[in-house]
Amino acid sequence: MKWLMALLLTLLLITPGCSREKEKQHANGKLQVVTTLFPLYDFARTIGGDRAEVTLLLPPGVEPHSFEPRPEDVVRVNRADLFIYTNAVMEPWAANIISGLDKGKVEVVEGGKGIALMQGPVSDQHRGEHDAHEGKGGDPHIWLDFDNARTIARNILAAYVARDPGNKALYEQSAARLDGQLAALDQRYRETLAQCLKKVLLHGGHYAFGYLARRYGLKYISASAVNADAEPTPAKLAELVQVMRREHLNYVYTEELLSPRVAETIARETGAKVLMLRAGHNVTRDDLQRGVSFISLMEENLQNLKTGLQ
């Protein structure tokens, strides 16, 4: 209730200014687009080109599973033409933002529309909450299957064209280039990983790479379940150590934005090395400044997979 009152007060105080700000933003003729996660941000800015001003809602370096929107985030999205999120499983907090939007002005776009979720493990301590809100273990990291990434890009394209049909040809041209790049990325993954000696991907983090593993015929084992705040039990850690030894794995993977402690523990017990895999939910400030793209992050992943899977 206190949160709601604070939100209402913020909206009352800022709304007149918001109107003037929106007029100022739209004076340049660009679509104003707010996205939740980095893949959406990257696809939206690529497709929109010079005709869209795209911003990322998550602050740099913030892990999205634990993100809580603030009243000013709702105000910020209310200034936009398009608000793009992945799905209700990946960003359950997006519901709070969407409920506060002026639906007559802001178009809400579900980037993952039409993509069926695969199932992922859920830790016992989170099972009840996760089942209630996240589809009984549905894995929301859909963009790590690059065919799904192409679907997300098509959904964003459709939203752009519907909102700004006068620039349809520009959006379609940019989207076609992106689609070709994602298809080529998929082919490089397929050809490279088919040649690797190891087929077991052991990850000392939360269950984020199930789509990638399924697409390229890898066995994926993670230390934790889909929920990023889950902690592996001592028994689970012992099991992972045994898998490393049984499969003669020389590398264990960790992920960005989360502590590498579990992967480092496994590495110490087995004499293995730790390699990074980027799930891509969000990036750091340094990443943004050096202009990383979703495809460049996935190319980094491919090199580390090539090393780790020999």
Side-chain angles (χ1 to χ4, degrees):
M1 184 61 69
K2 289 181 179 179
W3 183 92
L4 180 60
M5 293 301 295
L7 171 61
L8 292 173
L9 179 60
T10 302
L11 289 173
L12 288 171
L13 290 174
I14 298 179
T15 296
C18 284
S19 298
R20 290 191 294 272
E21 180 66 20
K22 193 168 182 104
E23 290 173 3
K24 178 182 176 182
Q25 289 175 336
H26 287 186
N28 60 16
K30 295 183 178 182
L31 284 180
Q32 301 301 307
V33 182
V34 176
T35 62
T36 53
L37 305 187
F38 181 75
L40 307 176
Y41 167 76
D42 189 52
F43 297 166
R45 66 178 177 173
T46 299
I47 295 171
D50 293 337
R51 304 307 306 162
E53 188 170 310
V54 183
T55 58
L56 181 60
L57 186 66
L58 286 177
V62 170
E63 210 289 317
H65 291 281
S66 57
F67 177 70
E68 289 292 340
R70 303 160 299 176
E72 51 264 39
D73 293 323
V74 180
V75 174
R76 178 179 166 193
V77 176
N78 255 310
R79 298 172 183 169
D81 297 298
L82 301 176
F83 173 58
I84 307 174
Y85 73 111
T86 312
N87 53 48
V89 181
M90 185 64 237
E91 303 106 322
W93 42 263
N96 287 336
I97 295 177
I98 294 170
S99 65
L101 295 182
D102 182 344
K103 303 303 191 302
K105 295 181 180 179
V106 184
E107 183 71 25
V108 177
V109 181
E110 182 184 346
K113 184 177 181 181
I115 299 174
L117 299 187
M118 65 182 289
Q119 295 302 298
V122 183
S123 63
D124 291 339
Q125 64 266 39
H126 291 79
R127 189 170 304 278
E129 177 184 351
H130 197 280
D131 286 359
H133 298 290
E134 303 189 8
K136 294 186 177 180
D139 182 354
H141 307 89
I142 54 176
W143 58 87
L144 290 170
D145 179 323
F146 302 139
D147 204 40
N148 289 343
R150 297 171 71 185
T151 297
I152 293 171
R154 286 193 292 269
N155 287 338
I156 293 174
L157 169 63
Y160 272 123
V161 171
R163 190 73 176 203
D164 183 22
N167 286 299
K168 176 182 178 181
L170 182 149
Y171 299 138
E172 288 181 339
Q173 185 178 29
S174 298
R177 284 196 299 269
L178 175 60
D179 186 74
Q181 291 168 350
L182 289 169
L185 177 69
D186 178 52
Q187 186 62 26
R188 286 194 295 277
Y189 262 72
R190 192 174 300 281
E191 292 173 354
T192 301
L193 297 182
Q195 299 176 44
C196 290
L197 296 177
K198 304 295 184 183
K199 299 298 180 182
V200 178
L201 171 59
L202 197 143
H203 170 216
H206 83 297
Y207 192 93
F209 298 97
Y211 289 95
L212 186 150
R214 180 180 68 177
R215 187 162 187 84
Y216 303 112
L218 302 176
K219 181 179 180 180
Y220 175 47
I221 303 170
S222 66
S224 303
V226 171
N227 33 303
D229 59 341
E231 286 288 334
T233 64
K236 180 66 174 181
L237 285 175
E239 175 190 335
L240 296 177
V241 167
Q242 290 301 314
V243 171
M244 292 285 292
R245 291 171 175 162
R246 184 174 67 247
E247 299 292 339
H248 305 289
L249 301 178
N250 298 316
Y251 294 88
V252 57
Y253 289 93
T254 187
E255 62 187 289
E256 81 279 33
L257 307 183
L258 292 176
S259 171
R261 181 177 55 82
V262 172
E264 290 171 350
T265 299
I266 295 170
R268 281 195 304 271
E269 290 293 321
T270 60
K273 296 179 181 178
V274 177
L275 282 175
M276 174 71 72
L277 271 187
R278 307 286 291 265
H281 311 76
N282 196 6
V283 294
T284 65
R285 191 174 304 278
D286 286 344
D287 285 332
L288 286 174
Q289 290 176 349
R290 66 186 176 97
V292 300
S293 67
F294 175 76
I295 289 177
S296 70
L297 293 180
M298 296 303 108
E299 290 285 10
E300 290 178 22
N301 277 357
L302 182 56
Q303 290 306 310
N304 283 345
L305 286 167
K306 183 178 178 180
T307 298
L309 301 179
Q310 299 175 264

